[in-house]
Amino acid sequence: AQSVTQLGSHVSVSEGALVLLRCNYSSSVPPYLFWYVQYPNQGLQLLLKYTSAATLVKGINGFEAEFKKSETSFHLTKPSAHMSDAAEYFCASTHSGGYQKVTFGTGTKLQVIP
Amino acid sequence: DTGVSQDPRHKITKRGQNVTFRCDPISEHNRLYWYRQTLGQGPEFLTYFQNEAQLEKSRLLSDRFSAERPKGSFSTLEIQRTEQGDSAMYLCASRRTSGRRGDNEQFFGPGTRLTVL
């Protein structure tokens, strides 16, 4: 069974500050991991994905995440927050076998303060 | 590639009524998923189609819910005798079957927000 835990349902940062959103996974086999962003009343947009090729993954809009097996973590970072980054972010996982349904975390709402 | 589309975007209904949602996946995507997202939660898996075959259903999908994908293209999700607890965002996602490692991204539609009064 797989699960994803996001620490902190709400995170506030100042514009220009570092963004750090935390995600830990629990899986009996190495997972594929994703970060999605959701704007109000919108669907989910993929920011980046980890598929075991490289542990540091770069995504869109300046976001990146590092897969750390020893810590079972996949934290999302961005060096400098923009107002447009205010949204809800979901960490998610799936596996290579089976039907590959995605398991999502509960989400973290990012507030960017001007 | 016009993306995954869902219709309607919003639906308000009275308790006890039936509702039907439609999802049009990206063309040539043979895999289709339905998820439900309630307020303050992440999306939860409901059901999965590969072509026209419904291969997996979550225990969240009670007998009031039925999903179809008759020709392996668009899909419908019907809820009969709606209850207030059915109020949620219903998301559809699609992807293709690929032999390439890591080519497993699901593309999500904008969702249908259901409000049951």
Side-chain angles (χ1 to χ4, degrees):
Chain A
Q2 55 180 329
S3 67
V4 173
T5 302
Q6 291 184 243
L7 301 177
S9 58
H10 290 80
V11 170
S12 291
V13 300
S14 298
E15 191 176 16
L18 171 72
V19 176
L20 170 61
L21 304 183
R22 300 178 186 274
C23 173
N24 288 87
Y25 68 90
S26 172
S27 174
S28 57
V29 297
Y32 294 140
L33 295 165
F34 309 86
W35 275 99
Y36 284 89
V37 62
Q38 186 177 37
Y39 297 97
N41 295 314
Q42 300 288 321
L44 299 168
Q45 180 183 11
L46 183 70
L47 281 177
L48 48 80
K49 62 181 180 182
Y50 166 74
T51 58
S52 75
T55 56
L56 182 62
V57 181
K58 294 187 183 297
I60 62 171
N61 300 339
F63 285 94
E64 64 181 36
E66 186 172 8
F67 174 76
K68 291 187 177 180
K69 186 177 180 180
S70 61
E71 299 177 8
T72 62
S73 68
F74 190 57
H75 302 330
L76 181 70
T77 60
K78 181 174 180 178
S80 177
H82 294 163
M83 296 298 296
S84 60
D85 294 329
E88 189 156 21
Y89 293 80
F90 293 94
C91 184
S93 72
T94 188
H95 285 113
S96 59
Y99 303 134
Q100 298 190 4
K101 61 186 178 185
V102 177
T103 299
F104 288 88
T106 52
T108 298
K109 280 190 178 175
L110 176 66
Q111 180 185 21
V112 182
I113 303 167
Chain B
D1 180 355
T2 57
V4 178
S5 61
Q6 293 186 244
D7 183 71
R9 293 290 307 277
H10 303 274
K11 179 70 176 178
I12 299 174
T13 191
K14 293 182 179 179
R15 188 177 55 184
Q17 297 295 305
N18 299 344
V19 294
T20 300
F21 311 140
R22 177 181 170 119
C23 170
D24 286 89
I26 294 171
S27 59
E28 299 177 357
H29 279 193
N30 62 332
R31 300 189 182 202
L32 187 146
Y33 305 78
W34 284 98
Y35 294 84
R36 182 173 70 183
Q37 183 180 19
T38 53
L39 205 59
Q41 299 296 319
E44 296 173 290
F45 169 78
L46 289 179
T47 190
Y48 162 69
F49 288 86
Q50 185 159 327
N51 299 312
E52 66 276 10
Q54 187 175 22
L55 298 183
E56 186 172 358
K57 293 194 293 186
S58 162
R59 59 181 172 78
L60 293 176
L61 216 64
S62 75
D63 55 7
R64 295 185 297 105
F65 288 70
S66 62
E68 294 182 341
R69 195 182 182 197
K71 297 182 179 179
S73 56
F74 73 92
S75 175
T76 58
L77 177 68
E78 181 183 14
I79 308 174
Q80 295 182 327
R81 305 181 304 280
T82 52
E83 301 173 356
Q84 288 184 325
D86 297 331
S87 295
M89 174 82 90
Y90 291 84
L91 293 164
C92 176
S94 71
R95 59 162 290 214
R96 59 182 179 180
T97 296
S98 172
R100 290 193 304 168
R101 182 179 180 80
D103 189 10
N104 54 4
E105 176 187 349
Q106 291 185 19
F107 294 81
F108 282 81
T112 294
R113 181 167 294 283
L114 173 66
T115 302
V116 181
L117 302 175

